[in-house]
Amino acid sequence: MQTHRHHMIEVEGTAPELPERFVDLIAKIDAVLPQTQCRQCGYEGCKPYAEAIARGEANINQCPPGGEAGIHALAKLLQRPFQALNPAHGITKPKAVALIDEETCIGCTLCIQACPVDAILGASKLMHTVISQECTGCELCLPPCPVDCIQMQTIPGRATAMNEAEAAVARQRHQQRLSRLALEKRETAQTYSKRNQTLATTETPSTEVLKKNAIAAAMARVKAQKTG
Ligand code: SF4
Ligand code: SF4
Ligand code: SF4
């Protein structure tokens, strides 16, 4: 008698399906995380941290924006003892939003590329501005700015980084950004494969190179304005 084997078919580019129980647990953990998407936990965002906790790879005390309240919520959910925040991941700060000094901004777009929730508006060579209601205070836009014109501004009366409503908005905006980036990556990959090249052979320029290029471009524009 012939035996039939069922293989799990993996569609190219998609991860094998996780058991429903596990998906449910990840969603429950993600639901109590503050969603600043700041990466201080050591993962690419809140959802990847939730996945690492669910897999048993990460501790529950690695999220500074969530603070003590967040750790208590995770401990209760997972029925584990409370652990103090691990200071190696940072400290809990009051709510703050980014503010761009528009006089100094050279319109290089590097902050836009770094913002996990698309909270910055602007175009190449034009000054940029932060939509403060959408800003999670993650500070990821600060290091790439070549002219250091972004400051964090504390919101008076707000002890915690995110409330529940803000977290829900940030979760959705981050997911939308990830979907958009994935789509752009697929489109770029298609363009490259049409040209018989692969993405693997293309190098992403380092932040230092991007900064240098941005400054050089801005200086060239100033020079052109002076001479023109
Ligand atoms: S808020 Fe930051 S530290 Fe906390 S889980 Fe999200 S990305 Fe990690
Ligand atoms: S504007 Fe800056 S601080 Fe605010 S969410 Fe975007 S990257 Fe984070
Ligand atoms: S990184 Fe700095 S200079 Fe560049 S667009 Fe953003 S705020 Fe302006």
Side-chain angles (χ1 to χ4, degrees), residues 99-102 104-114 120-130 141-150 211 214:
L99 194 70
I100 295 175
D101 173 7
E102 294 169 0
T104 317
C105 170
I106 58 169
C108 69
T109 78
L110 293 180
C111 55
I112 292 190
Q113 293 165 45
I120 304 173
L121 288 179
S124 180
K125 299 173 196 170
L126 292 172
M127 62 91 181
H128 287 45
T129 189
V130 175
C141 54
L142 304 186
C145 180
V147 292
D148 287 334
C149 70
I150 313 175
K211 279 188 186 181

Side-chain angles (χ1 to χ4, degrees), residues 22-181:
F22 200 60
V23 173
D24 190 45
L25 177 64
I26 293 167
K28 281 182 178 149
I29 298 170
D30 188 53
V32 297
L33 295 176
Q35 308 298 320
T36 75
Q37 313 299 344
C38 67
R39 303 186 189 166
Q40 289 179 94
C41 50
Y43 294 88
E44 289 291 293
C46 304
K47 184 99 183 285
Y49 177 46
E51 288 164 0
I53 294 175
R55 282 196 304 266
E57 286 170 14
N59 282 323
I60 59 172
N61 63 347
Q62 298 179 198
C63 172
E68 282 208 358
I71 302 170
H72 276 297
L74 287 172
K76 191 174 166 209
L77 173 70
L78 302 166
Q79 296 175 349
R80 288 196 211 165
F82 171 83
Q83 291 171 278
L85 177 69
N86 180 347
H89 292 274
I91 54 160
T92 307
K93 295 182 193 170
K95 167 111 187 141
V97 295
L99 194 70
I100 295 175
D101 173 7
E102 294 169 0
E103 297 284 302
T104 317
C105 170
I106 58 169
C108 69
T109 78
L110 293 180
C111 55
I112 292 190
Q113 293 165 45
C115 180
V117 289
D118 288 333
I120 304 173
L121 288 179
S124 180
K125 299 173 196 170
L126 292 172
M127 62 91 181
H128 287 45
T129 189
V130 175
I131 320 165
S132 49
Q133 302 98 290
E134 315 291 5
C135 174
T136 68
C138 72
E139 301 186 11
L140 290 176
C141 54
L142 304 186
C145 180
V147 292
D148 287 334
C149 70
I150 313 175
Q151 303 282 330
M152 296 309 294
Q153 204 176 44
T154 309
I155 307 290
R158 284 287 310 268
T160 54
M162 305 283 276
N163 62 33
E164 219 172 293
E166 288 164 343
V169 173
R171 182 183 291 109
Q172 198 190 13
R173 288 184 71 88
H174 183 58
Q175 278 311 316
Q176 281 168 352
R177 177 180 165 86
L178 292 182
S179 307
R180 179 171 57 76
L181 292 180

